[in-house]
């Protein structure tokens, strides 16, 4: 049977139908942008200190001196989680003693914040941290909240493909939109951290499923030339637009419940798209639903102003399709031999460590000097030129050098942050944004590169496995940010080092640029070290053959060498 490209060629590549699908599917990605990073503000940690009970009999001097001092970020600041024992302070205050003069504060016993905390309202007014006191002994719950969201993303990325293959792209697209919007709305009514986190996990499942299915639906409907722009610029840039909207919403809405409500409302505007966005004709054809596919194709032809053929699906071709047996593969095929196993392990590491760098830098914007809302907005804006550069690099330069170069750029500048004097805060922010630019560019090129490395039989499996590896990286990333509470530079040192390391590893992967897509495992390109080893082995065999007078003509040697290359 003719493939879908040939069957729908009469529609053209960029008519009104394709432009409408391109725009509407890209717009449907916008809510994913602000939901994916919403934890930055929903779980923002304000400055805090131990609260004193209303009936504490302390003078103003003893109230001010009730907190021990500690070193944090190179500064001497009041403790966030400890105070001097209140009974002792009340006794000294009643006796008229002065702190630091009559009493040595360093010798006083300390206690935990038994009466709660006072929170600064300079940056955040009301977050889930202030709602359920997720500080001090419970501060581990903050990164866990974000990690569990990404656990939901991991689960969603695993099931979304199977669900859309079974029930259709359009059905699952709008079902996952409803999950994302509906459970975000339910989060507003959370009565505990546990309830909020479980709902957040489900939101993560809907968030990634919506993204993946919209991506698949667009690539199946749009033509070959538009498909690359859609997957690299359309989807990614509209995700960045949603990311940009997040700090704007959060700046004007400082209460976490109202912020969630504001982030939920845009999802309702996607409901009318159900009557505009069609099902994937490709999927309908694979399900033998030819009549429904023909209706969609004829509507597209009418919208584009072209005449459709009288017969789209020939009965003989439909019978041939019913007889076709599709070749299948399983996960073990990604490790069938030494070469493909090495490529798979390197690809899994590449995706996971790049994901750690991307999400680590995105989630760490509140820890940067300056305004948290401005920093988050800059982190979103920098993604737009990163996606454009990635698209240009994919068109003109080899994949390995493009990805490795952007990883070296991203990781290198992040490593330099520790050398910046504390007085040059702006320079630190610039380096973080430049690092985010490099890592984002590399991240956006991984889908194309991975798809080109693997043969048709395992290509979907490989992209799915490596994508899930990146979800593992996103689950780990919040804990890199959490390390900043102990050492301001430690997250950047770790993320920068790992990014540079994986950039070096990338150079040993095969180069796919300009090569035809492999159709089977034998056609896969060789890892660089394997290729060199094989060439050296062949030359050694030739040399031994010469010594044994089995080969004695230079032309034969040259022919053998050229054939091996």
């Amino acid at each position: 049977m003719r493939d879908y490209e040939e069957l729908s060629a009469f529609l053209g590549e960029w008519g009104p139908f394709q432009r409408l699908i391109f725009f509407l599917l890209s717009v449907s990605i916008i809510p994913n942008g602000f939901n994916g990073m919403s934890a930055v503000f929903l779980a923002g940690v304000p400055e805090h200190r131990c609260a004193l009970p209303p009936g504490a009999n302390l003078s103003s001097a003893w109230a001010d001196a009730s907190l021990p001092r500690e070193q944090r970020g190179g500064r001497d600041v009041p403790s966030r989680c400890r105070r001097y024992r209140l009974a002792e302070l009340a006794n000294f205050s009643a006796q008229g003693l002065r702190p630091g003069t009559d009493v040595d504060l360093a010798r006083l016993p300390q206690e935990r914040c038994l009466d709660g905390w006072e929170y600064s309202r300079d940056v955040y007014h009301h977050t889930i941290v202030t709602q359920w006191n997720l500080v001090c002994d419970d501060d581990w719950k903050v990164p866990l909240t974000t990690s569990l969201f990404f656990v939901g993303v991991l689960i969603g990325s695993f099931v979304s493909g199977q669900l859309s293959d079974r029930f259709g792209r359009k059905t699952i697209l709008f079902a996952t939109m409803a999950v994302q919007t509906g459970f975000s709305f339910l989060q507003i009514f959370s009565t505990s951290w546990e309830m909020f986190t479980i709902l957040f996990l489900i939101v993560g499942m809907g968030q990634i499923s919506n993204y993946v299915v919209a991506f698949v639906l667009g690539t199946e409907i749009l033509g070959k030339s538009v498909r690359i722009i859609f997957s690299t610029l359309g989807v990614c840039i509209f995700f960045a637009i949603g990311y940009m909207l997040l700090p704007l919403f959060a700046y004007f809405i400082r209460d976490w419940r109202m912020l969630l409500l504001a982030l939920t409302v845009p999802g309702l505007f996607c409901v009318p798209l159900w009557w505009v966005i069609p099902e994937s004709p490709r999927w309908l054809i694979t399900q033998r639903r030819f009549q429904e596919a023909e209706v969609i194709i004829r509507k597209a032809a009418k919208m584009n102003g072209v005449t459709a053929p009288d017969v789209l699906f020939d009965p003989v071709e439909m019978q041939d399709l019913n007889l076709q047996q599709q070749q299948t593969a399983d996960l073990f095929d990604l490790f069938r031999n030494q070469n493909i196993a090495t490529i798979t392990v390197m690809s899994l590491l590449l995706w996971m460590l790049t994901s750690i760098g991307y999400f680590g830098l995105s989630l760490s914007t509140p820890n940067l000097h300056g305004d948290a809302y401005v920093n988050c907005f800059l982190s979103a804006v920098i993604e737009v030129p990163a996606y454009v550069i990635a698209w240009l690099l994919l068109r003109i330069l080899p994949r390995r050098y493009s990805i490795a170069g952007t990883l070296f750029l991203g990781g290198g500048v992040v490593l330099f942050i520790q050398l910046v004097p504390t007085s040059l805060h702006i320079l630190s922010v610039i380096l973080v944004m430049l690092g985010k630019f490099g890592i984002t560019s590399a991240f956006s090129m991984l889908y194309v590169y991975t798809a080109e490395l693997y043969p048709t039989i395992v290509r979907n499996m490989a992209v799915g496995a490596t994508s899930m590896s990146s979800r593992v990286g996103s689950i780990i990333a919040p804990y890199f940010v959490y390390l900043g509470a102990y050492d301001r530079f430690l997250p950047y040192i770790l993320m920068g080092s790992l990014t540079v390391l994986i950039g070096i590893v990338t150079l040993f992967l095969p180069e796919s640029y300009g090569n035809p897509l492999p159709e089977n495992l034998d056609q896969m390109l060789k890892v660089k070290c394997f290729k060199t080893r094989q060439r050296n082995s062949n030359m050694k065999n030739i040399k031994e053959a010469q010594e044994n007078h089995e080969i004695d003509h230079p032309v034969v040697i040259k022919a053998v060498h050229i054939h091996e290359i």
Side-chain angles (χ1 to χ4, degrees), residues 100-252:
T101 303
D102 302 322
V103 179
D104 184 6
L105 297 177
R107 300 174 67 88
L108 293 180
Q110 298 179 13
E111 62 185 5
R112 294 183 299 135
C113 299
L114 302 177
D115 299 291
W117 290 264
E118 294 177 358
Y119 295 98
S120 168
R121 294 170 63 89
D122 292 340
V123 180
Y124 310 107
H125 289 183
H126 196 203
T127 70
I128 65 169
V129 173
T130 63
Q131 179 76 39
W132 295 299
N133 291 324
L134 306 182
V135 293
C136 298
D137 291 343
D138 286 334
D139 63 353
W140 56 272
K141 293 181 179 179
V142 177
L144 182 61
T145 302
T146 309
S147 288
L148 288 177
F149 171 83
F150 287 116
V151 169
V153 170
L154 174 63
I155 298 170
S157 64
F158 179 73
V159 302
S160 60
Q162 300 178 51
L163 290 175
S164 65
D165 284 344
R166 181 172 182 180
F167 299 105
R169 316 310 193 204
K170 178 180 177 179
T171 302
I172 299 304
L173 172 65
F174 285 92
T176 52
M177 282 183 187
V179 169
Q180 179 178 231
T181 303
F183 282 90
S184 291
F185 182 72
L186 290 178
Q187 279 184 290
I188 299 172
F189 305 100
S190 298
T191 57
S192 65
W193 171 77
E194 290 79 8
M195 178 180 176
F196 177 91
T197 304
I198 291 171
L199 293 173
F200 208 25
L201 184 148
I202 299 173
V203 171
M205 293 174 58
Q207 190 259 2
I208 189 61
S209 300
N210 171 24
Y211 184 94
V212 169
V213 177
F215 180 88
V216 171
L217 183 58
T219 54
E220 289 184 346
I221 292 179
L222 298 172
K224 190 178 299 183
S225 61
V226 182
R227 197 179 304 147
I228 298 175
I229 301 176
F230 173 76
S231 58
T232 56
L233 294 183
V235 169
C236 294
I237 288 181
F238 277 81
F239 178 89
I241 291 172
Y243 188 5
M244 290 179 215
L245 291 175
L246 173 63
L248 296 179
F249 278 111
Y251 180 80
F252 292 105

Side-chain angles (χ1 to χ4, degrees), residues 317-528:
E317 291 181 327
M318 289 190 285
Q319 184 66 28
D320 290 342
L321 181 62
N322 289 327
L323 297 174
Q324 286 177 4
Q325 296 294 324
Q326 188 171 357
Q327 194 175 15
T328 59
D330 56 46
L331 189 63
F332 295 105
D333 287 315
L334 298 179
F335 302 91
R336 179 174 291 182
N337 57 50
Q338 188 178 21
N339 182 61
I340 190 172
T342 303
I343 291 176
T344 299
V345 171
M346 293 167 73
S347 297
L348 292 172
L349 288 173
L350 174 60
W351 279 75
M352 184 175 72
L353 297 183
T354 306
S355 178
I356 288 175
Y358 174 81
F359 286 102
L361 292 178
S362 299
L363 296 171
S364 68
T365 49
N367 298 337
L368 298 174
H369 289 284
D371 189 281
Y373 300 94
V374 173
N375 289 338
C376 183
F377 182 75
L378 292 175
S379 179
V381 168
I382 201 66
E383 293 196 4
V384 175
Y387 294 134
V388 174
I389 290 296
W391 175 64
L392 293 174
L393 290 175
L394 286 173
R395 289 171 60 88
I396 60 176
L397 290 179
R399 311 301 194 221
R400 280 187 309 151
Y401 299 128
S402 298
I403 295 174
T406 50
L407 288 173
F408 289 147
L409 170 65
V413 296
V414 169
L415 278 174
F416 274 118
I417 292 173
Q418 60 183 312
L419 305 177
V420 177
T422 55
S423 58
L424 299 178
H425 303 322
I426 296 178
L427 181 57
S428 295
V429 174
I430 291 173
L431 290 178
V432 170
M433 297 307 161
L434 192 57
K436 176 78 183 295
F437 170 85
I439 293 174
T440 301
S441 293
F443 206 2
S444 65
M445 289 186 276
L446 292 185
Y447 276 99
V448 174
Y449 185 44
T450 303
E452 291 177 346
L453 283 179
Y454 287 90
T456 302
I457 185 175
V458 294
R459 187 171 295 123
N460 260 359
M461 183 73 66
V463 173
T466 52
S467 179
M468 289 184 67
S469 175
S470 79
R471 309 308 170 202
V472 175
S474 65
I475 293 170
I476 299 171
Y479 290 95
F480 278 73
V481 180
Y482 181 64
L483 293 174
Y486 301 96
D487 187 302
R488 187 166 65 91
F489 296 118
L490 185 57
Y492 301 114
I493 293 172
L494 291 175
M495 287 187 289
S497 301
L498 292 174
T499 302
V500 171
L501 175 63
I502 200 61
I504 295 172
V505 171
T506 303
L507 294 174
F508 291 93
L509 283 167
E511 180 51 65
S512 63
Y513 180 67
N515 291 309
L517 293 178
E519 295 296 334
N520 54 61
L521 296 174
D522 294 331
Q523 294 177 2
M524 280 191 69
L525 298 165
K526 301 291 183 184
V527 177
K528 191 172 183 181

